[in-house]
Amino acid sequence: YRSFLWSSPELECDSREAARLRAAAIAVLFVWPLGSLIGLATLLVCIRGAVSRRTPSGLSSASRVLWAEFRLRWYWWRLIEHFRLLMLTGGLLLIPERMAFVRLIVALFFCLSFLVLKPMLKPNARKDVAALSMAEQLVTFVLILGYSFIYL
């Protein structure tokens, strides 16, 4: 019995090349979340002085899209938002599928914590952006809550 990769029929699943590709795919699954968080944190640390002094540098100007919508003391909030998205889209997959309901409960508490935390801290500089962000948080919470009712 032989099996082949569906998207590349010339590649046999038990071959050395398939094992190498599988190892590379698994490495990317770990490098992307950690690397993106570390890279974003490094960038935000590098531009901290320019942002706090309000003296633009080349790097702070180029990365303005990452921090401009937040108050100066919360310029690093994008890192927290990125962590939230990584947890909701990938981190929950670390919980085994046989524990799907636990995934939903963890996602609900995670969403609820951000839904409560964001209005308390008020990191957004503009009220319209803050309202849209809260709406997005609320919709995410309601969708996950709805999924949990479907699961029951």
Side-chain angles (χ1 to χ4, degrees), residues 18-28:
R20 185 181 58 80
L21 289 174
R22 194 173 309 120
I26 290 170
V28 168

Side-chain angles (χ1 to χ4, degrees), residues 25-146:
I26 290 170
V28 168
L29 286 174
F30 287 102
V31 168
W32 158 245
L34 295 175
S36 65
L37 281 172
I38 292 168
L40 183 57
T42 303
L43 175 65
L44 292 173
V45 165
C46 289
I47 65 170
R48 179 181 56 197
V51 170
S52 63
R53 288 189 307 270
R54 294 186 175 131
T55 55
S57 67
L59 192 57
S60 69
S61 296
S63 61
R64 184 173 172 78
V65 69
L66 296 174
W67 56 268
E69 70 185 72
F70 304 111
R71 297 177 193 269
L72 282 181
R73 71 173 189 229
W74 296 105
Y75 83 98
W76 49 268
W77 189 263
R78 177 69 61 207
L79 184 64
I80 293 176
E81 284 288 325
H82 187 61
F83 174 73
R84 179 184 72 87
L85 293 173
L86 283 173
M87 285 302 295
L88 288 175
T89 58
L92 291 174
L93 296 177
L94 296 174
I95 300 172
E97 192 172 342
R98 69 180 186 281
M99 300 172 66
F101 191 70
V102 173
R103 278 186 190 175
L104 286 172
I105 298 301
V106 169
L108 270 174
F109 282 119
F110 200 74
C111 285
L112 185 61
S113 66
F114 273 86
L115 196 58
V116 170
L117 190 63
K118 197 147 189 186
M120 286 175 29
L121 298 177
K122 297 180 180 159
N124 293 96
R126 293 177 31 195
K127 290 184 189 242
D128 58 339
V129 174
L132 285 172
S133 177
M134 285 305 301
E136 182 261 336
Q137 299 274 355
L138 186 61
V139 166
T140 303
F141 178 77
V142 168
L143 284 173
I144 293 173
L145 186 63

